[in-house]
Amino acid sequence: MKKIGFLSFGHWAATPQSQVRSGADALLQSIDLAVAAEELGADGAYFRVHHFARQLASPFPLLAAIGAKTRRIEIGTAVIDMRYENPLYMAEDAGAADLIAGGRLQLGISRGSGEQVLEGYRYFGYAPAAGETHADLARNHTEVFYEVLRGEGFAEPNPRPMFPNPPGMLRVEPHAEGLRDRIWWGSGSDATAVWAARIGMNLQCSTLKNDETGRPLHIQQAEQIRAYKQAWKEAGHARTPRVSVTRSIFALMDERDRMYFGRESNSDDSIGMLDEKIRAIFGRSYVAEPDKLIAQLAEDEAIAEADTLLLTVPNQLGVDYCAHIIEAILKHVAPGLGWR
């Protein structure tokens, strides 16, 4: 059995081919798709965060709105770029959204990937300290955010406050109990997966990864997940961790599906450069009739190691079509793999 959700980048463009022509369209249709996915029996609605782009950016108003409109589905991100975040303000926003959703938030966070502008986090007021990298900046923000989510007081109260204070040091409010166990690290390398395990965060694996061995993506990710689980065990954490894998999977059910995705039916992993130094492997798309998909996905070692699968959706094709993609996997593929 696996939890199955969708992942949307929330693209929007004022072009004739797009059904998502504005930022308002992207936000409102994201809410509608989460509602539709819940009705279909999906387990999660996840969203990517990209700044300075015609995509979803500020996640917490969207997550809170979805939380108010749904009752069961997990609501999350994959991922929030921590280079841009104020950790304490983020803890407030996350706490509020989680309380609105009744404890269903699943926040994926990470260093982030290449962005639309050079060192965009500097425009948000953040920069690495002397001798540190932008990856250090992200992890420093992460560690502060993750510590604050414990809910322990750390701030000295004003002796003459505007409102009465509880005794002792004060914490960021509102505090959402249990949210700290629902933070995920989006890892692009084996080393950061092990780091996340030692800290105690869940693990998210994307459709790409640093190419560290030259082997197929699903094998590299399976090895990454196994290293993560071993590090988790060695760290002695009390709870069982969660692991998600993201894949582009399209079942060819009708002529629309063949028109949109039929050309990708024989795709393979590809290699590219994330920046001047990082060689990455990008995962293939799975595109076929349901019976063929079942056979192909059964051989994906990383999916087998994960408890959660996130399906990328082409959100610019509209809510109804994206719901059709999700429904096809839930009804015609997942049962054949024992996921449902």
Side-chain angles (χ1 to χ4, degrees):
M1 300 292 289
K2 292 191 188 299
K3 290 183 179 292
I4 301 175
F6 72 83
L7 172 62
S8 173
F9 280 48
H11 294 283
W12 57 274
T15 62
Q17 297 79 20
S18 175
Q19 295 192 35
V20 188
R21 301 176 62 83
S22 68
D25 287 345
L27 290 162
L28 295 172
Q29 290 188 30
S30 294
I31 297 169
D32 290 343
L33 182 56
V35 171
E38 181 173 75
E39 292 172 351
L40 290 170
D43 302 296
Y46 287 73
F47 302 92
R48 183 67 165 93
V49 177
H50 275 131
H51 300 288
F52 298 105
R54 293 187 176 186
Q55 300 174 35
L56 298 172
S58 179
F60 292 107
L62 174 61
L63 298 175
I66 293 172
K69 294 274 286 186
T70 58
R71 292 292 176 266
R72 180 192 58 80
I73 198 167
E74 293 181 343
I75 308 160
T77 53
V79 292
I80 297 173
D81 188 331
M82 292 302 291
R83 296 174 295 182
Y84 288 75
E85 295 296 323
N86 178 314
L88 270 65
Y89 203 123
M90 183 178 174
E92 290 182 342
D93 280 348
D98 192 45
L99 292 174
I100 290 170
R104 289 182 284 132
L105 230 58
Q106 303 283 342
L107 290 182
I109 62 178
S110 188
R111 182 202 70 183
S113 58
E115 293 297 299
Q116 296 299 103
V117 300
L118 294 173
E119 298 184 335
Y121 42 86
R122 293 182 183 272
Y123 294 95
F124 279 57
Y126 305 111
E132 294 189 335
T133 68
H134 65 108
D136 295 322
L137 173 65
R139 283 192 280 272
N140 291 341
H141 283 185
T142 296
E143 289 171 353
V144 173
F145 170 69
Y146 198 54
E147 183 64 25
V148 168
L149 289 183
R150 290 184 186 277
E152 298 174 357
F154 60 90
E156 185 174 353
N158 186 341
R160 298 179 180 82
M162 182 176 295
F163 307 106
N165 282 324
M169 305 294 271
L170 302 183
R171 67 184 184 186
V172 166
E173 301 286 0
H175 173 67
E177 191 68 35
L179 177 58
R180 193 172 188 271
D181 289 342
R182 290 177 270 116
I183 305 301
W184 307 58
W185 182 257
S187 175
S189 69
D190 293 356
T192 55
V194 169
W195 172 80
R198 290 171 177 163
I199 287 179
M201 290 185 286
N202 302 310
L203 180 67
Q204 286 184 338
C205 298
S206 182
T207 53
L208 62 89
K209 180 187 178 294
N210 294 3
D211 185 17
E212 298 181 270
T213 65
R215 305 180 78 186
L217 174 72
H218 75 101
I219 294 177
Q220 291 198 49
Q221 284 186 330
E223 293 168 343
Q224 177 190 34
I225 294 168
R226 288 191 283 268
Y228 166 83
K229 290 179 178 178
Q230 181 61 33
W232 183 279
K233 180 180 179 181
E234 292 171 358
H237 301 301
R239 66 179 180 86
T240 301
R242 288 184 61 185
V243 177
S244 73
V245 169
T246 300
R247 291 290 185 265
S248 297
I249 306 172
F250 303 101
L252 299 178
M253 306 297 298
D254 56 33
E255 289 307 312
R256 278 186 312 172
D257 302 327
R258 293 180 179 87
M259 176 183 68
Y260 286 135
F261 300 108
R263 290 172 295 179
E264 300 181 41
S265 58
N266 295 313
S267 71
D268 296 309
D269 292 348
S270 59
I271 300 296
M273 299 299 293
L274 288 182
D275 57 30
E276 295 84 358
K277 298 180 180 179
I278 300 177
R279 171 186 163 101
I281 182 167
F282 297 79
R284 56 168 293 188
S285 294
Y286 288 96
V287 181
E289 289 73 18
D291 58 334
K292 293 179 181 178
L293 279 181
I294 290 169
Q296 293 171 6
L297 293 168
E299 297 180 356
D300 191 308
E301 294 185 17
I303 294 178
E305 291 283 349
D307 59 81
T308 300
L309 173 65
L310 300 184
L311 307 170
T312 63
V313 293
N315 73 287
Q316 285 184 275
L317 295 179
V319 173
D320 289 344
Y321 186 71
C322 289
H324 160 75
I325 290 172
I326 296 166
E327 183 178 29
I329 301 302
L330 293 176
K331 290 187 174 181
H332 301 286
V333 178
L337 287 156
W339 299 346
R340 281 290 188 272

